[in-house]
Amino acid sequence: MKTLSAVKIGDRVTVGSIEGDDDISVRLLEMGLVPGVELTIVGYAPLGDPIEIELIGYRLSLRKTEASRVLLTD
């Protein structure tokens, strides 16, 4: 399954699930990364980390390690 850390700028994707059962996965869910939500990849920092996304009318920056835990639907 594809993860959020492996998508290109401008792609519009849908969250399938969050990998893990720890504080980070709970925090990702609290920030709105819940199954079924659509988001757009806005950009990457010059060295590729963090990644900036837009969802539910706001923008959010995630480290690549966090983004790699967001599994996407096809």
Side-chain angles (χ1 to χ4, degrees):
M1 186 175 266
K2 193 173 187 179
T3 68
L4 185 57
S5 64
V7 293
K8 298 179 208 167
I9 294 173
D11 284 354
R12 186 152 181 85
V13 295
T14 303
V15 174
S17 63
I18 302 296
E19 190 175 73
D21 189 22
D22 58 6
D23 291 343
I24 293 173
S25 61
V26 171
R27 183 69 180 137
L28 291 171
L29 290 166
E30 290 174 344
M31 290 190 293
L33 292 164
V34 294
V37 73
E38 291 186 354
L39 57 93
T40 302
I41 311 307
V42 176
Y44 288 92
L47 297 177
D49 194 19
I51 177 176
E52 184 177 9
I53 61 174
E54 184 172 333
L55 69 154
I56 319 172
Y58 72 97
R59 290 186 176 191
L60 176 66
S61 292
L62 297 173
R63 294 182 184 104
K64 272 201 155 182
T65 56
E66 297 165 340
S68 67
R69 299 175 67 163
V70 179
L71 305 177
L72 306 173
T73 60
D74 295 327

